[in-house]
Amino acid sequence: QVQLVESGGGLMQPGGSLRLSCAASGRTRSNYAMGWFRQAPGKEREFVAAINWRGRSTYVADSVKGRLTISRDNAKNTMYLQMNSLKPEETAVYYCAAKEVTVFSGSYYTDVGDYDYWGQGTQVTVSS
């Protein structure tokens, strides 16, 4: 079991920047591939970015490439999403997720159904 808590969301004008954090606790000595997803009102949860358990491989959705960056610091049990040049259509609740993997895994995952654990979400609002 691992517990995930997102933080860092808030209100930002278009073009602004935010950094989201996801802190893990519990069974943190296990290995977890992780990801960020977002869900706008009335819409399905959408993939944003993913990272493998060592942090050596990342993948981001085409819609955010060049503006959003995923990273992790396993010594701090924390994953990050740096968001730059934010757009109003990116207003959503942002969720972090974790999938337990073996020590040999170099994989990342992009589907909601791939993940075992989810945080409670943090609201990001981009508006003038």
Side-chain angles (χ1 to χ4, degrees):
Q1 293 280 345
V2 63
Q3 294 78 48
L4 307 174
V5 179
E6 303 94 336
S7 62
L11 176 64
M12 183 61 60
Q13 292 185 341
S17 298
L18 286 172
R19 189 180 75 159
L20 306 183
S21 298
C22 174
S25 62
R27 195 174 174 86
T28 57
R29 294 191 184 275
S30 297
N31 310 304
Y32 297 95
M34 301 188 73
W36 286 100
F37 293 77
R38 63 190 178 192
Q39 189 165 20
K43 297 187 177 181
E44 295 184 352
R45 195 163 296 187
E46 175 190 25
F47 170 75
V48 176
I51 190 166
N52 73 346
W53 82 266
R54 294 186 184 273
R56 296 176 182 175
S57 183
T58 63
Y59 182 81
V60 299
D62 289 343
S63 62
V64 304
K65 186 172 294 184
R67 299 184 299 108
L68 274 62
T69 303
I70 187 171
S71 63
R72 68 192 297 169
D73 186 342
N74 286 347
K76 297 181 179 179
N77 296 320
T78 303
M79 178 180 64
Y80 305 96
L81 183 68
Q82 178 66 48
M83 304 189 294
N84 299 325
S85 301
L86 283 165
K87 304 175 181 179
E89 58 264 35
E90 293 177 309
T91 294
V93 176
Y94 283 70
Y95 298 90
C96 67
K99 174 182 174 61
E100 190 167 4
V101 299
T102 72
V103 69
F104 305 105
S105 175
S107 300
Y108 52 80
Y109 300 89
T110 61
D111 293 334
V112 169
D114 290 327
Y115 288 90
D116 304 308
Y117 305 100
W118 294 85
Q120 84 289 348
T122 185
Q123 177 71 47
V124 173
T125 302
V126 185
S127 177
S128 299

